[in-house]
Amino acid sequence: MSKTIIIEPDRTYHIYNRGVNSVKMFMYHGNYKRFIKNMRKHLNPIGTVFAYCLMNNHFHFLIHTKTTQMLIKEGFILPNNDQDITIKKINKQFSNLFNSYTRYFNIQQERTGPLYDSRFKRIPVTTQEYFQQLIIYIHNNPVNHHVCKTAEDYEWSSIHDYLSDTHRKPFMEDVIRDFGGIDNFKIAHKQNKPLVSSPKY
């Protein structure tokens, strides 16, 4: 059995999972909105979500966790917390996100039991090239699943924030700059070059 990767401070990860037995996790527009709201509530205190995409039975997002110094400065952890406590608190935020959505969804759908397929998957991202590939891969997930023709056609991903002058965050400006500008960012998404290694969903 493979060892579970622990999420640590100042690291980048591709996080993804699907519904148990590929069951739908999002039935209505309100479900997608609720997950995004919970994602921001639980993950913004510990990191920056650079990209996300919610499909009806699975999700992907790309997050960079904050440094220990930043977590202390913002009051998320105490200065005397050791590294083990810091790591536990970071990982707890992911559990809080997924558990809170499961409770909400189960009540709404009058169901019981787990919603996700075992533990959520997490892959460390250690190169700029892989980071950029993941931005494209996550935004194009609906295209790859033949839900729509272009990433811009799909509602429940971060692509719209990247392309919006009013909703684009400063860190998104940095990502676009690394792509060589907004035109190259759009071209890279339309080219949709596959990753060397990518999840099955």
Side-chain angles (χ1 to χ4, degrees):
M1 187 175 181
S2 61
K3 183 179 178 181
T4 300
I5 294 172
I6 302 300
I7 298 176
E8 300 179 271
D10 198 20
R11 298 287 187 273
T12 305
Y13 300 90
H14 177 198
I15 306 292
Y16 60 98
N17 207 352
R18 62 183 173 188
V20 60
N21 297 321
S22 295
V23 68
K24 288 184 178 181
M25 299 185 298
F26 308 104
M27 305 295 290
Y28 309 108
H29 279 205
N31 297 153
Y32 293 95
K33 291 179 179 179
R34 180 63 172 261
F35 190 95
I36 293 170
K37 178 181 178 181
N38 287 7
M39 180 178 68
R40 290 170 176 161
K41 174 184 176 182
H42 294 293
L43 299 189
N44 283 357
I46 63 164
T48 299
V49 177
F50 278 89
Y52 70 84
C53 183
L54 310 182
M55 303 291 288
N56 63 9
N57 68 348
H58 66 276
F59 62 81
H60 294 267
F61 51 87
L62 179 62
I63 184 172
H64 183 84
T65 53
K66 295 178 180 178
T67 64
T68 299
Q69 292 74 14
M70 184 59 69
L71 294 171
I72 292 172
K73 180 180 178 180
E74 296 179 354
F76 183 78
I77 58 173
L78 299 175
N80 60 349
N81 285 157
D82 60 28
Q83 187 75 345
D84 287 342
I85 292 177
T86 299
I87 289 173
K88 285 180 181 178
K89 292 194 71 174
I90 288 174
N91 285 266
K92 180 65 174 176
Q93 293 297 105
F94 289 90
S95 297
N96 290 342
L97 163 60
F98 302 134
N99 290 339
S100 64
Y101 183 77
T102 297
R103 288 193 298 270
Y104 151 80
F105 188 80
N106 280 354
I107 290 173
Q108 184 193 67
Q109 298 299 313
E110 298 182 346
R111 69 184 297 277
T112 58
L115 180 59
Y116 309 103
D117 184 14
S118 187
R119 292 181 176 179
F120 67 92
K121 315 302 186 296
R122 67 291 300 266
I123 299 176
V125 180
T126 57
T127 68
Q128 179 67 13
E129 180 184 11
Y130 189 44
F131 178 90
Q132 290 184 326
Q133 286 181 326
L134 281 169
I135 292 282
I136 297 168
Y137 173 79
I138 290 172
H139 287 157
N140 272 301
N141 204 243
V143 178
N144 297 334
H145 283 276
H146 309 291
V147 174
C148 54
K149 292 185 177 180
T150 71
E152 298 174 42
D153 293 334
Y154 191 72
E155 184 173 3
W156 307 109
S157 86
S158 52
I159 185 69
H160 302 288
D161 290 330
Y162 275 92
L163 300 181
S164 170
D165 292 334
T166 56
H167 293 95
R168 190 184 302 140
K169 307 293 191 299
F171 68 83
M172 294 179 177
E173 297 281 5
D174 294 337
V175 171
I176 291 172
R177 190 177 303 112
D178 289 339
F179 269 89
I182 190 65
D183 289 338
N184 286 338
F185 181 82
K186 292 178 180 179
I187 290 171
H189 279 74
K190 289 180 179 179
Q191 289 177 338
N192 192 19
K193 294 181 179 179
L195 294 174
V196 174
S197 175
S198 60
K200 300 299 182 184
Y201 52 87

